[in-house]
Amino acid sequence: GNVGGQPYWSWYGFSSRVEWCACFVSWCGEQCGYIESGAMPKHSYCPTGVEWFRSRGQWQDQNSIPAPGAIIYFDWGGDGIADHVGIVESCDGSTVYTIEGNTSGASGVVANGGGVARKSYPLGYPSIYGYGNPKYEQEEPDMTESQTRAIAKEEANRLQPKRYRAVSDMPEYIRADMQ
């Protein structure tokens, strides 16, 4: 399963669990050839991704309407530092639909939720920091943008967080992380 995001943080090179939302986004990009093509950065720290997009003029503020495939960054505390990241699946002009790692299906931004989930936020939601816009057409990646979204959707469906009725039903390694 996907408890703790092990497939993503270990792919990145970490030997133990880390806050892995950016590892998930980078993993998705790598699966599609976007890291190698230079369309988006490989990053495990959200501010590094924000700076990468800003330095290339590929940044939009929180009130922009993001395109499918944009990388959405969040700032939970309003301190100007990105804390979380996901992939924009779509935007209908009033709601942004995302796929995110290290979150849960609960509404709003969920810190270290441990799973991959589809989420939605009102456009201009205060915790949205902004959007990085990969240049998917920069070079010819191995997969199209729609294939990238399909892989992310498949992962979100396959890796839904397991629900436990009681803490005592959880594996020991999860209970240890909760203490």
Side-chain angles (χ1 to χ4, degrees), residues 38-102:
M40 62 183 286
K42 178 179 180 182
H43 64 299
S44 63
Y45 181 57
C46 295
T48 301
V50 169
E51 179 53 35
W52 191 92
F53 286 111
R54 279 189 169 151
S55 70
R56 287 161 176 75
Q58 296 169 232
W59 182 256
Q60 290 178 288
D61 71 29
Q62 75 179 97
N63 296 310
S64 302
I65 297 177
I71 308 303
I72 184 172
Y73 290 89
F74 298 88
D75 175 5
W76 299 319
D79 60 2
I81 299 172
D83 304 300
H84 183 66
V85 63
I87 302 167
V88 173
E89 187 173 14
S90 65
C91 179
D92 64 12
S94 61
T95 304
V96 181
Y97 299 91
T98 65
I99 298 174
E100 303 167 33
N102 202 20

Side-chain angles (χ1 to χ4, degrees), residues 141-179:
D142 296 337
M143 293 186 203
T144 66
E145 184 179 328
S146 63
Q147 289 170 317
T148 303
R149 287 196 308 269
I151 286 174
K153 284 179 187 179
E154 182 179 307
E155 283 294 295
N157 289 334
R158 185 176 72 82
L159 302 172
Q160 288 298 315
K162 185 172 181 176
R163 306 222 187 272
Y164 299 97
R165 292 180 187 253
V167 172
S168 61
D169 295 337
M170 295 178 178
E172 177 57 36
Y173 65 92
I174 295 175
R175 287 184 295 200
D177 281 349
M178 295 173 62
Q179 299 175 355

Side-chain angles (χ1 to χ4, degrees), residues 123-134:
L123 194 62
Y125 183 70
S127 292
I128 296 175
Y129 189 55
Y131 306 93
N133 294 294

